[in-house]
Amino acid sequence: MKKIITISRQFGSGGRTIGKALAEKLGYKCYDTELVNMVAKETGFDPSFIADVGEYAPGKSILSYAFTSAFPHGAPRHMNASDYLWSTQCKMINEIADEGNCVIVGRCADYILKDRDDCLNVFIYADDEFRAHRIVELYGEREASPEKRIEDKDARRKVNYKYFTGRNWGEMSNYHICLDSSAIGHDECVEIIADIAKK
């Protein structure tokens, strides 16, 4: 039985929804906004800042990290805000993993916990049409098209992952399972992951 499950996901694929349903099915704790709030309490950062900067690069190029601001509230002098947030998230994710029986959504948890043999790493993806339709349903219409929002979110998430892990986000070799939620459906994704975790 795997005691820890990480869910990495494309924007709009439903990975967060799958993670929450999976945790409920297994009787595990789910860490998504819960982790954001824990990091906020530890760092003093605003939760909305953590929700964005903890998973998304400042821009679509890795060079965008060169322009992030220094953290003024007692972090080591060599750390900017992004590095300090990363350090704190790593600490929190390892503490959560040590407690076991948890689902952790996003935040490079698959990489942070890569050396553990009690962890199952999952990547959820979906086709663009499915994702575009879903984000409009969830978040409403915006000035930018859903396709543009998907492109921006995925690009910034990809850069964030590369900057902190040195690996390519979404590359199948980084995960134990990759599931297409648009083809399989959210409920079936939950069943498949739960079944594998139990074995």
Side-chain angles (χ1 to χ4, degrees), residues 111-199:
Y111 174 80
I112 294 166
L113 304 176
K114 63 182 170 45
D115 295 326
R116 297 185 67 118
D117 58 10
D118 56 350
C119 184
L120 180 67
N121 298 317
V122 179
F123 187 80
I124 303 295
Y125 64 99
D127 67 49
D128 289 348
E129 184 179 349
F130 174 89
R131 293 197 287 154
H133 178 73
R134 191 168 182 277
I135 66 171
V136 170
E137 276 191 339
L138 286 176
Y139 308 118
E141 297 283 356
R142 302 282 175 87
E143 185 175 332
S145 70
E147 292 80 10
K148 181 67 176 173
R149 288 153 65 191
I150 287 169
E151 180 188 356
D152 178 68
K153 292 279 191 179
D154 282 355
R156 291 173 58 217
R157 191 172 279 174
K158 186 181 296 185
V159 171
N160 173 269
Y161 190 85
K162 184 73 171 181
Y163 179 78
F164 287 109
T165 73
R167 306 198 303 190
N168 296 322
W169 176 76
E171 191 170 281
M172 63 182 181
S173 60
N174 296 334
Y175 314 97
H176 300 113
I177 316 168
C178 297
L179 297 173
D180 181 349
S181 60
S182 57
I184 300 170
H186 290 171
D187 292 343
E188 190 61 25
C189 285
V190 170
E191 294 299 324
I192 291 168
I193 299 166
D195 187 51
I196 292 172
K198 288 174 183 176
K199 292 178 180 177

Side-chain angles (χ1 to χ4, degrees), residues 8-196:
S8 303
R9 75 280 187 227
Q10 288 182 323
F11 179 61
S13 66
R16 174 179 285 119
T17 301
I18 290 167
K20 288 183 180 297
L22 177 66
E24 186 174 340
K25 181 176 181 64
L26 294 174
Y28 283 9
K29 292 181 180 178
C30 185
Y31 292 91
D32 179 29
T33 55
E34 297 82 0
L35 180 55
V36 169
N37 292 331
M38 288 169 64
V39 174
K41 186 175 180 181
E42 178 79 8
T43 62
F45 281 132
D46 186 89
S48 63
F49 175 81
I50 295 166
D52 184 59
V53 176
E55 279 203 300
Y56 298 102
K60 295 180 182 180
S61 165
I62 207 158
L63 293 176
S64 62
Y65 279 101
F67 303 102
T68 55
S69 60
F71 180 65
H73 302 298
R77 291 182 183 274
H78 65 281
M79 284 190 178
N80 61 28
S82 296
D83 290 337
Y84 180 64
L85 182 54
W86 166 255
S87 174
T88 306
Q89 283 188 165
C90 287
K91 175 188 169 198
M92 295 288 187
I93 286 170
N94 277 298
E95 288 175 358
I96 288 166
D98 285 341
E99 292 179 7
N101 292 354
C102 60
V103 175
I104 305 172
V105 179
R107 314 212 163 256
C108 304
D110 60 286
Y111 174 80
I112 294 166
L113 304 176
K114 63 182 170 45
D115 295 326
R116 297 185 67 118
D117 58 10
D118 56 350
C119 184
L120 180 67
N121 298 317
V122 179
F123 187 80
I124 303 295
Y125 64 99
D127 67 49
D128 289 348
E129 184 179 349
F130 174 89
R131 293 197 287 154
H133 178 73
R134 191 168 182 277
I135 66 171
V136 170
E137 276 191 339
L138 286 176
Y139 308 118
E141 297 283 356
R142 302 282 175 87
E143 185 175 332
S145 70
E147 292 80 10
K148 181 67 176 173
R149 288 153 65 191
I150 287 169
E151 180 188 356
D152 178 68
K153 292 279 191 179
D154 282 355
R156 291 173 58 217
R157 191 172 279 174
K158 186 181 296 185
V159 171
N160 173 269
Y161 190 85
K162 184 73 171 181
Y163 179 78
F164 287 109
T165 73
R167 306 198 303 190
N168 296 322
W169 176 76
E171 191 170 281
M172 63 182 181
S173 60
N174 296 334
Y175 314 97
H176 300 113
I177 316 168
C178 297
L179 297 173
D180 181 349
S181 60
S182 57
I184 300 170
H186 290 171
D187 292 343
E188 190 61 25
C189 285
V190 170
E191 294 299 324
I192 291 168
I193 299 166
D195 187 51
I196 292 172

